[in-house]
Amino acid sequence: MPRQQSVHPGPIVLDFEDHYLRGKPEVARHNYEVLKTLIQWRARQPRVVSSASTA
């Protein structure tokens, strides 16, 4: 959805370096679910090939 609504569509960078899978079990479980959802979402997105990578 963000790419479709973007004026300048391109790659989307997701920064989730603070989602640790350690610490309190409930926090680690929540972070795991967030990361799992992001991976599943990315797997459903079409692959974008830039012109720079085809040169």
Side-chain angles (χ1 to χ4, degrees):
M1 185 168 102
R3 187 178 291 147
Q4 293 169 348
Q5 295 178 355
S6 176
V7 175
H8 304 288
I12 297 174
V13 176
L14 301 172
D15 182 6
F16 49 84
E17 61 191 41
D18 291 331
H19 285 80
Y20 298 110
L21 301 178
R22 58 183 176 209
K24 292 183 179 181
E26 56 275 4
V27 174
R29 190 174 306 110
H30 170 77
N31 290 343
Y32 169 78
E33 293 299 326
V34 169
L35 293 172
K36 185 172 80 170
T37 300
L38 291 172
I39 290 168
Q40 291 169 343
W41 173 79
R42 176 59 188 110
R44 291 191 301 264
Q45 301 304 307
R47 185 163 182 262
V48 177
V49 179
S50 68
S51 58
S53 66
T54 59

